[in-house]
Amino acid sequence: IRDSSGDVLAVMTAGLQLDRTTLFNIRLHDSFEHKIGVIRDDYYIQFMTASHDTAVDYTTPISESFFDNLIHSVTTSNSLKLNELKTKGIPTVGYALDQENPALYAIQYIPRFNIWTVSEIDLRHIVYEYIGIMAIYLVIFMSLQAIFYLFVRSIDKHEKDRHEALLFQANHDPLTRLPNRHFLRSHIHRWLRPTAPPFSILFMDMDNFKNVNDSSGHDHGDKVLQEIASRLSDATDEQALLIRESGDEFIIVTSMTDHYELNRFANNIIHNLSKPYEIDQCSFILGCSIGIAQYPEHGTSLDTLLRCADIAMYDAKTRRNSLSFFTESMQSSYLHSVRLEQRLRQAIQQNQLYMVYQPQFNAQGNLHGVEALVRWNDDELGFVPPDKFISIAESCGLMPTLGQLIIDTTLAEMGKLQKQLGYDFQVSINISVRQITQDDFLDKLILSIQTQRFNQRNITLEITENLFIEDLDIVRPVCDSLNKLGVGISLDDFGTGYSSLS
């Protein structure tokens, strides 16, 4: 307290404990790295936050050059002049890097009291705070990335597993789990590359497999196919490729080319596949026919090799339970059979086949009956014997149509002849195994008899002995129905192929 002349009369002091002082809307004393002060124009400190072990000198002004450099740094970094800084009215932030402890400052001038309010934070503290916060965010970020990575990896693994499952399904047979024809065509380039060594293809078809499905059902047939696949896998080494082509057909691609080795290998397969199959207390005995073609001797493409092996397999099937190596003569015979089949289809459609009748006489020399025999004289092929085109018709599924044509033509022509002669006689008609096993065989026979008004008691159906033995369960009820109808049955070719009287 001064008098009128300016001399100090007394001093009043006050001690303030600033616990929750705010400046720039910032709570003070939360951190010793953050200092806030009030400085007069004459560079004296009016107030300054400080730690407990650091005293603030209020009696000595701060360095003028330090404060001027601070003001200069703030104005320069914000492109302001000193007057603009004083009149701005809000805190202005700037860096002071050219001092012992670089710091971040926020400065505001209060004209009413001619004082500067200054906020100072040590840059090292900001860096430490930044690193600490970034470390937390980095941990969170890496954790999220790890979770996202595991999630994506799980999806990717699921998709790969699903893709592999679909790929396996597309390239493998679902029943036997063996590679299928698509797998063969997709991977044959490994065998057919330009520098590939020679190899062999074995085309296998099971003999009498249809009887398994017909007699015991497809469930037993599927189990037999699985057993066949297992036996083939055991007989085939890891270097060979085992394929299920379709149905009861299998393919083996092997690097063996020596005929002696191939013959031993194929015979071993035939031996293994000919052993009894014990399925659900049922026993089945099958055979196996194998055709063998070789690369590059018999072809340089997969289709050519398969066709050659298939031709050789059909040659082996004529002997049953055997093998055949492809030869050029087989191909000629095969092509002739194909041409014969095409011409036969056309001949049946155009009604080019005709009937001849072998008369049968009794001991007195009187006509007992006739045997109906089908004949075919083709415009291109000439006369084709029945033993040639009948087997073709049976193998390609034309026999039911051809057999019905024979029945209709025979009953029509012989019915007309009987009317002309004025008396009845027996008419014998050969029946094929493919024909009699048709579900509608009896219905069509009865319809033909009724249409031609032919006496069924004058009809004799000739059935081969092997048909009785191989398909007894199918033929027996048909024969019972024919017997009730009054149609006679003759055992044809007795003793020529079988010696069983069962």
Side-chain angles (χ1 to χ4, degrees):
I1 302 174
R2 298 176 185 271
D3 60 11
S4 57
S5 57
D7 297 328
V8 177
L9 299 179
V11 175
M12 291 194 302
T13 62
L16 304 178
Q17 182 178 356
L18 301 179
D19 294 325
R20 308 183 67 82
T21 309
T22 60
L23 185 64
F24 306 147
N25 296 321
I26 299 174
R27 287 186 57 191
L28 305 182
H29 304 291
D30 285 349
S31 171
F32 293 121
E33 291 80 5
H34 183 193
K35 298 179 181 179
I36 293 182
V38 179
I39 303 173
R40 296 200 311 241
D41 274 344
D42 57 1
Y43 306 114
Y44 277 91
I45 298 174
Q46 291 295 98
F47 169 76
M48 180 68 69
T49 60
S51 61
H52 296 292
D53 58 352
T54 303
V56 178
D57 186 3
Y58 291 97
T59 61
T60 305
I62 64 174
S63 172
E64 182 178 346
S65 61
F66 170 79
F67 194 76
D68 289 343
N69 287 337
L70 172 61
I71 298 297
H72 177 72
S73 297
V74 174
T75 54
T76 301
S77 60
N78 289 276
S79 302
L80 296 173
K81 295 180 179 179
L82 181 59
N83 292 334
E84 293 174 341
L85 178 62
K86 285 184 175 183
T87 58
K88 192 174 181 182
I90 59 175
T92 303
V93 179
Y95 290 95
L97 306 176
D98 55 349
Q99 57 189 33
E100 183 179 354
N101 295 320
L104 175 68
Y105 291 91
I107 297 178
Q108 180 180 350
Y109 187 73
I110 304 176
R112 178 181 177 186
F113 303 107
N114 294 328
I115 60 174
W116 293 90
T117 54
V118 180
S119 169
E120 175 190 351
I121 302 179
D122 193 329
L123 281 180
R124 289 174 298 177
H125 175 69
I126 295 177
V127 171
Y128 294 151
E129 288 287 326
Y130 172 79
I131 292 176
I133 294 174
M134 286 305 299
I136 295 174
Y137 281 114
L138 183 61
V139 171
I140 295 174
F141 175 77
M142 293 303 295
S143 299
L144 291 175
Q145 289 296 315
I147 294 173
F148 182 72
Y149 168 76
L150 294 176
F151 176 70
V152 173
R153 184 177 179 182
S154 175
I155 294 177
D156 179 65
K157 184 178 183 302
H158 175 74
E159 287 298 318
K160 285 183 178 179
D161 292 344
R162 183 171 176 270
H163 176 74
E164 291 177 359
L166 291 175
L167 193 63
F168 184 88
Q169 183 179 355
N171 288 281
H172 290 76
D173 172 52
L175 178 64
T176 62
R177 313 294 288 178
L178 292 177
N180 57 17
R181 65 173 69 183
H182 182 268
F183 182 92
L184 175 62
R185 282 149 182 79
S186 300
H187 294 76
I188 194 62
H189 62 275
R190 301 177 182 176
W191 298 79
L192 289 176
R193 63 184 189 276
T195 58
F199 63 90
S200 302
I201 289 183
L202 284 70
F203 199 107
M204 294 166 286
D205 183 85
M206 301 304 297
D207 299 331
N208 302 322
F209 178 77
K210 183 177 180 296
N211 293 341
V212 177
N213 286 332
D214 292 342
S215 62
S216 301
H218 289 277
D219 182 57
H220 283 78
D222 290 345
K223 292 180 180 180
V224 169
L225 286 173
Q226 290 174 336
E227 177 63 23
I228 292 172
S230 176
R231 295 185 186 183
L232 286 174
S233 299
D234 293 338
T236 308
D237 58 33
E238 295 181 355
Q239 304 299 323
L241 178 61
L242 175 60
I243 301 290
R244 184 191 178 193
E245 176 69 3
S246 63
D248 59 339
E249 295 177 342
F250 296 84
I251 294 173
I252 294 179
V253 183
T254 175
S255 58
M256 286 187 293
T257 55
D258 181 72
H259 275 223
Y260 174 77
E261 290 184 1
L262 285 171
N263 190 74
R264 185 176 61 180
F265 176 60
N267 278 314
N268 181 53
I269 291 176
I270 293 173
H271 174 72
N272 289 333
L273 296 184
S274 299
K275 295 178 181 179
Y277 296 84
E278 305 294 337
I279 306 295
D280 296 339
Q281 299 180 348
C282 295
S283 180
F284 305 97
I285 298 179
L286 305 176
C288 176
S289 299
I290 301 178
I292 304 175
Q294 295 182 289
Y295 169 87
E297 180 182 350
H298 301 141
T300 57
S301 68
L302 177 62
D303 290 337
T304 302
L305 291 170
L306 288 179
R307 183 175 69 250
C308 294
D310 189 39
I311 292 173
M313 184 271 293
Y314 275 105
D315 178 75
K317 247 189 181 336
T318 60
R319 300 183 300 276
R320 295 296 179 96
N321 220 32
S322 63
L323 65 96
S324 288
F325 287 88
F326 175 78
T327 61
E328 294 298 330
S329 60
M330 289 182 187
Q331 186 169 17
S332 300
S333 176
Y334 174 78
L335 294 176
H336 177 72
S337 299
V338 172
R339 183 59 180 162
L340 197 64
E341 177 185 339
Q342 294 173 346
R343 296 297 299 175
L344 180 60
R345 290 182 183 275
Q346 182 177 347
I348 293 175
Q349 292 176 357
Q350 299 179 0
N351 201 22
Q352 294 178 355
L353 284 83
Y354 61 94
M355 303 300 300
V356 297
Y357 302 95
Q358 174 70 45
Q360 299 170 334
F361 296 93
N362 58 19
Q364 289 74 33
N366 298 323
L367 180 66
H368 170 74
V370 297
E371 180 179 0
L373 306 171
V374 64
R375 295 292 181 263
W376 179 26
N377 198 353
D378 187 71
D379 295 338
E380 293 183 9
L381 304 175
F383 178 76
V384 183
D387 60 337
K388 297 294 183 182
F389 69 83
I390 291 296
S391 60
I392 296 295
E394 289 182 337
S395 63
C396 67
L398 288 174
M399 200 57 225
T401 303
L402 177 59
Q404 191 59 41
L405 176 64
I406 292 174
I407 292 175
D408 292 341
T409 303
T410 299
L411 295 185
E413 292 179 349
M414 290 301 95
K416 183 178 179 181
L417 181 61
Q418 287 179 0
K419 291 180 181 178
Q420 292 176 353
L421 296 178
Y423 64 91
D424 296 340
F425 52 82
Q426 290 292 315
V427 177
S428 297
I429 304 174
N430 290 286
I431 299 299
S432 167
V433 59
R434 303 295 183 188
Q435 188 178 359
I436 199 172
T437 54
Q438 294 294 310
D439 294 336
D440 56 354
F441 168 72
L442 277 176
D443 295 334
K444 288 184 177 180
L445 176 63
I446 294 173
L447 178 62
S448 182
I449 292 173
Q450 294 175 347
T451 302
Q452 303 301 329
R453 296 181 180 178
F454 201 92
N455 186 357
Q456 62 265 30
R457 298 192 177 277
N458 292 330
I459 299 175
T460 300
L461 300 183
E462 296 192 9
I463 305 175
T464 57
E465 181 191 4
N466 66 326
L467 175 60
F468 276 109
I469 295 176
E470 292 182 357
D471 300 282
L472 184 62
D473 293 337
I474 299 175
V475 175
R476 186 196 305 274
V478 176
C479 291
D480 291 339
S481 300
L482 291 174
N483 187 31
K484 295 177 181 178
L485 188 64
V487 176
I489 300 173
S490 171
L491 192 62
D492 194 20
D493 294 337
F494 173 72
T496 59
Y498 294 86
S499 59
S500 172
L501 285 174
S502 60

